[in-house]
Amino acid sequence: MLTLDYHPTGNHFLQIPGPSPVPDRVLRAMSLPTIDHRGPEFGALGLKVLDGIKQIFQTRHPVIIYPTSGTGAWEAALANTLSPGDHVLMYETGQFATLWHKMATRLGLSTEFLGWSGEDAVLPAAPGWRHGIQADRIEQRLRQDREYRIKAVCVVHNETSTGVTSDIAAVRRAIDAAGHPALLMVDSISGLAAADFRHDDWGVDVTISGSQKGLMLPPGISFNALSPRAIDASRQAKLPRAFFSWDEILEMNATGYWPYTPNTNLLYGLSEALDMLLGEGLDNVFARHQRWAAGVRAAVQAWGLPIQCADPEVYSPVLTGVITPEGVDADAVRRLIHQRFDLSLGTGLGKVRGRMFRMGHLGNSNDLTLLAMVAGVEMGLKLSGVKLAQSGIHAAMDYFSAHAAPRALTHAA
Ligand code: PLP
């Protein structure tokens, strides 16, 4: 238990899959004095971030920036494009898909929740939570909908509760193959700026994201990337919306401003994060996360514990879900690791609570901070009485040693 006069030495290891560790460069940028959000300097900042964020979404179309968490941006996406009673097709990949589905129902939409059709021996209570979306199931369902009752297909790109990604291009192909006019809305809250995501190429109508994951910012701002079809849909949509309404925001954004007081200091942070990510190059950013994920998975595989994602094709580059042996409470292991080693891991959410924990490999990390995470988890598992097949820390060290980073540091002799 922390008391006010107790401060652990060294850095806390924030290895949950978001909020991610924030680089000092971003924190320093955020500490600049707050400026007049109607003044000339602000307009320049607004235009810079509104342009830069498009490059991150890989889109030519507008991106809305809200001063809310990702949940607000979920609501904005639905409220701007749909009308009461509209039917939406959603897909259960895990807890975040489940929460978005619940929100859509609460907003007065008629919802349908497709899911994986098989069984899972390791996590029988959550059979679909180890796999990505089966796009052919979406295609089949859309083909049955001859009257086009389904107005939108809503899916999660990187399911943060499981560590499984989904092939969004395949979902687009499924919609096109069925010749269906439904909008495609994608939650890439934890995928963006870590896993490859292409809003325009993949024909996404609304992409929802947040600041506190791949963008390496604190929580507090979130995004809707739009397509021209989504903007057209918003002109007919009748769900109530005011604060979240795209029209007034788009109008003011044209000159770099917002209709209300925006989150100035988080926008300083965003500007800095954009410089870092775009300076590195998105392909390098994606390769960096893939490599980190492979190093962490090498450790989990050496321990002999199941990775939650059952399909290597869709392993998340952002986080790895680790299933604990039957009878070992994953949350007790997490608590012990936090108490003993000042290391936070993600808890199992919803249907998998207590059966797994999540190791984040995103944000301001590097090989050595990830090795510290692996070491902390390995010690915690052993202290919890879990029998490990082999040393994971050595497996991760071997992986990182054998696979140089795409842009390893070089020093002059
Ligand atoms: N969707 C996904 C995939 C998430 O990972 C999260 C948060 O972790 C959310 C939605 C909800 O976002 P927020 O907690 O920022 O409201």
Side-chain angles (χ1 to χ4, degrees):
M1 172 82 162
L2 284 181
T3 57
L4 285 180
D5 56 2
Y6 173 68
H7 296 282
T9 52
N11 287 336
H12 173 68
F13 283 85
L14 181 67
Q15 300 297 155
I16 57 176
S20 56
V22 179
D24 290 352
R25 226 178 113 173
V26 170
L27 290 173
R28 275 197 298 272
M30 289 180 54
S31 71
L32 289 172
T34 303
I35 51 172
D36 171 7
H37 62 290
R38 308 272 179 224
E41 294 94 348
F42 190 92
L45 171 69
L47 288 176
K48 179 190 164 184
V49 294
L50 287 164
D51 181 60
I53 195 69
K54 289 187 193 177
Q55 296 176 54
I56 302 283
F57 280 92
Q58 307 200 51
T59 183
R60 288 176 293 114
H61 303 297
V63 177
I64 304 267
I65 306 177
Y66 289 112
T68 71
S69 83
T71 304
W74 264 349
E75 179 163 342
L78 299 172
N80 274 285
T81 52
L82 298 166
S83 299
D86 275 357
H87 195 65
V88 292
L89 183 64
M90 307 181 98
Y91 196 105
E92 181 179 353
T93 41
Q95 179 68 358
F96 289 103
T98 304
L99 292 176
W100 199 15
H101 173 254
K102 183 171 145 206
M103 169 186 274
T105 312
R106 289 186 71 165
L107 285 173
L109 297 167
S110 147
T111 58
E112 185 174 335
F113 211 21
L114 268 188
W116 198 64
S117 46
E119 287 177 12
D120 190 89
V122 185
L123 289 179
W129 289 32
R130 301 190 67 202
H131 299 270
I133 291 167
Q134 293 170 305
D136 54 336
R137 283 175 64 76
I138 293 182
E139 182 179 334
Q140 276 165 20
R141 180 63 191 92
L142 292 177
R143 281 187 191 279
Q144 290 163 0
D145 181 36
R146 302 232 168 75
E147 292 157 13
Y148 300 153
R149 278 192 61 238
I150 297 171
K151 299 296 178 219
V153 174
C154 300
V155 294
V156 176
H157 172 219
N158 183 70
E159 183 45 89
T160 327
S161 63
T162 64
V164 180
T165 60
S166 282
D167 183 346
I168 302 303
V171 176
R172 174 79 261 168
R173 285 195 299 274
I175 298 173
D176 292 348
H180 200 288
L183 295 171
L184 172 59
M185 302 210 220
V186 181
D187 167 341
S188 190
I189 287 183
S190 61
L192 190 81
D196 191 8
F197 186 84
R198 305 172 192 202
H199 180 83
D200 286 4
D201 285 0
W202 295 348
V204 182
D205 291 299
V206 188
T207 303
I208 298 101
S209 195
S211 54
Q212 74 273 27
K213 315 270 185 183
L215 287 172
M216 311 184 292
L217 297 168
I221 52 178
S222 57
F223 309 91
N224 277 180
L226 313 182
S227 75
R229 279 191 70 218
I231 296 172
D232 282 349
S234 73
R235 299 198 175 104
Q236 323 300 328
K238 300 268 180 315
L239 273 180
R241 60 190 185 271
F243 175 77
F244 283 131
S245 194
W246 292 340
D247 52 0
E248 290 179 356
I249 301 173
L250 286 175
E251 201 182 312
M252 294 283 292
N253 277 178
T255 47
Y257 297 92
W258 272 261
Y260 44 75
T261 313
N263 204 327
T264 311
N265 290 54
L266 270 169
L267 297 181
Y268 289 148
L270 176 59
S271 166
E272 197 69 19
L274 291 171
D275 286 349
M276 292 173 73
L277 291 163
L278 297 173
E280 182 178 355
L282 283 183
D283 287 344
N284 291 321
V285 171
F286 303 146
R288 175 160 58 75
H289 286 86
Q290 290 289 359
R291 180 176 165 279
W292 285 347
V296 171
R297 284 197 305 271
V300 181
Q301 279 153 351
W303 292 330
L305 297 178
I307 290 172
Q308 177 151 358
C309 179
D311 177 1
E313 291 280 301
V314 288
Y315 280 145
S316 169
V318 177
L319 74 141
T320 299
V322 182
I323 300 175
T324 48
E326 197 93 51
V328 174
D329 176 2
D331 272 338
V333 177
R334 259 187 350 100
R335 272 196 302 275
L336 181 144
I337 292 171
H338 182 251
Q339 279 164 2
R340 291 289 296 267
F341 307 117
D342 202 16
L343 158 63
S344 294
L345 299 165
T347 182
L349 295 167
K351 291 180 180 175
V352 293
R353 182 168 292 282
R355 282 310 321 274
M356 58 84 71
F357 58 85
R358 296 170 296 150
M359 300 170 76
H361 22 85
L362 71 165
N364 190 39
S365 300
N366 61 30
D367 293 4
L368 296 185
T369 60
L370 295 179
L371 287 173
M373 165 176 70
V374 169
V377 174
E378 184 159 323
M379 290 188 285
L381 286 166
K382 283 187 184 163
L383 286 167
S384 307
V386 177
K387 295 260 171 305
L388 302 178
Q390 288 171 48
S391 160
I393 185 74
H394 283 107
M397 288 196 304
D398 288 348
Y399 185 90
F400 287 140
S401 305
H403 300 82
R407 288 176 57 167
L409 290 178
T410 49
H411 293 282

